[in-house]
Amino acid sequence: MKLLNPRGFGLVCASGAVAVGLVLAGCANTVEGTATVDQAQVTSYKAEAATSAAAASSSRAAAAIAKATGDNCDAFRKAATTQVDRYNEFVDAHDGSAGDQSAKRDAAATALEDAAKTVETQVAAAGPNLPAELSGKFTDYVAAARALAAEIRKMSVGSSVVPLNDGSKKVNDALTAVRNGCPAK
């Protein structure tokens, strides 16, 4: 495609070397005429530009999704590890009628609440960049973790463990669903 002078004149220029590295360009003649546009080239250029823009946009979107997924899965792994450890310590203390049962109960409930808050905050920060299916799995985990924390806080020495077992099953199911939804590390 030729570039035309905005006034409609094509330029025919001569150039010559003046000094090493310098070039002097000057126009010897002008050519009279009217600027015309090659519509086929314009259409082709616009199509190429649109394709390029779409590819760049798609690449940015894919990068944002990958980042949101990685950030959420990494935060989840850290939070869930602490939560599981505190919960298991509480179960051992409860089953063994340990003297520190109340302290471990509170630590387990707090760990579950903290994990739920961490995951919920990460999901909110990711917004639409987090795939909806994975976001739903995180949300299910948050609800299950909070419900189990509430059940743990109700526990005392003679309490039935049925609500605790039901809640821990829901958390385990949610943990598994998120782990399966997150990329392997």
Side-chain angles (χ1 to χ4, degrees), residues 5 7-14 26-33:
N5 178 319
R7 291 190 182 115
F9 300 101
L11 299 178
V12 178
C13 299
C27 294
N29 298 315
T30 59
V31 176
E32 299 283 334

Coordinates of all heavy atoms in Angstrom, one line a residue, residues 5 7-14 26-33:
N5 N 0.5 11.6 0.5 CA 0.5 12.9 1.2 C -0.9 13.3 1.4 O -1.8 13.1 0.6 CB 1.2 13.9 0.2 CG 1.2 15.3 0.7 OD1 0.2 15.8 1.3 ND2 2.3 16.0 0.5
R7 N -2.4 15.9 1.3 CA -3.0 16.9 0.3 C -3.3 16.2 -1.0 O -3.8 16.8 -1.9 CB -2.0 18.0 0.1 CG -1.8 18.9 1.3 CD -1.0 20.1 0.9 NE -0.9 20.9 2.1 CZ 0.3 21.1 2.7 NH1 1.4 20.7 2.2 NH2 0.4 21.9 3.8
G8 N -3.0 14.9 -1.1 CA -3.3 14.2 -2.4 C -2.1 14.1 -3.3 O -2.3 13.7 -4.4
F9 N -0.9 14.5 -2.9 CA 0.2 14.5 -3.8 C 1.2 13.4 -3.3 O 1.5 13.3 -2.2 CB 0.9 15.8 -3.8 CG 0.1 16.9 -4.3 CD1 -0.5 17.8 -3.4 CD2 -0.2 17.1 -5.6 CE1 -1.2 18.9 -3.8 CE2 -1.0 18.2 -6.1 CZ -1.5 19.0 -5.1
G10 N 1.6 12.5 -4.2 CA 2.6 11.6 -3.9 C 4.0 12.3 -4.0 O 4.1 13.2 -4.7
L11 N 4.9 11.9 -3.2 CA 6.2 12.5 -3.1 C 7.2 11.7 -3.8 O 7.3 10.5 -3.6 CB 6.6 12.7 -1.7 CG 5.7 13.6 -0.8 CD1 6.3 13.7 0.6 CD2 5.6 15.0 -1.5
V12 N 8.0 12.3 -4.7 CA 9.1 11.6 -5.3 C 10.3 12.4 -4.8 O 10.5 13.6 -5.0 CB 9.0 11.8 -6.9 CG1 10.2 11.1 -7.5 CG2 7.7 11.2 -7.4
C13 N 11.1 11.7 -4.0 CA 12.2 12.3 -3.3 C 13.5 11.8 -3.8 O 13.7 10.6 -4.1 CB 12.1 12.1 -1.8 SG 10.5 12.8 -1.2
A14 N 14.5 12.6 -3.7 CA 15.9 12.2 -4.0 C 16.7 12.3 -2.7 O 16.4 13.2 -1.9 CB 16.5 13.1 -5.0
G26 N 15.4 15.4 0.1 CA 14.7 16.5 -0.4 C 13.9 16.1 -1.5 O 14.2 15.1 -2.2
C27 N 12.8 16.8 -1.8 CA 12.0 16.5 -2.9 C 12.3 17.3 -4.1 O 12.4 18.5 -4.0 CB 10.5 16.7 -2.5 SG 10.0 15.6 -1.2
A28 N 12.5 16.6 -5.2 CA 12.9 17.3 -6.4 C 11.6 17.6 -7.2 O 11.6 18.7 -7.8 CB 13.8 16.4 -7.3
N29 N 10.6 16.8 -7.2 CA 9.4 17.0 -7.9 C 8.2 16.6 -7.1 O 8.3 15.7 -6.3 CB 9.4 16.2 -9.3 CG 10.6 16.6 -10.2 OD1 10.9 17.8 -10.3 ND2 11.3 15.6 -10.7
T30 N 7.1 17.1 -7.4 CA 5.8 16.6 -6.9 C 5.0 16.1 -8.0 O 5.2 16.5 -9.2 CB 5.0 17.8 -6.2 OG1 4.7 18.8 -7.1 CG2 5.8 18.3 -5.0
V31 N 4.2 15.2 -7.7 CA 3.3 14.6 -8.7 C 1.9 15.0 -8.4 O 1.4 14.8 -7.3 CB 3.4 13.0 -8.7 CG1 2.4 12.4 -9.7 CG2 4.8 12.6 -9.0
E32 N 1.2 15.6 -9.3 CA -0.2 16.0 -9.2 C -1.1 14.8 -9.1 O -0.8 13.8 -9.8 CB -0.6 16.9 -10.3 CG 0.2 18.2 -10.5 CD -0.1 19.3 -9.4 OE1 -1.3 19.3 -9.0 OE2 0.7 20.1 -9.1
G33 N -2.2 14.9 -8.4 CA -3.1 13.8 -8.4 C -4.1 13.9 -7.2 O -4.0 14.8 -6.4

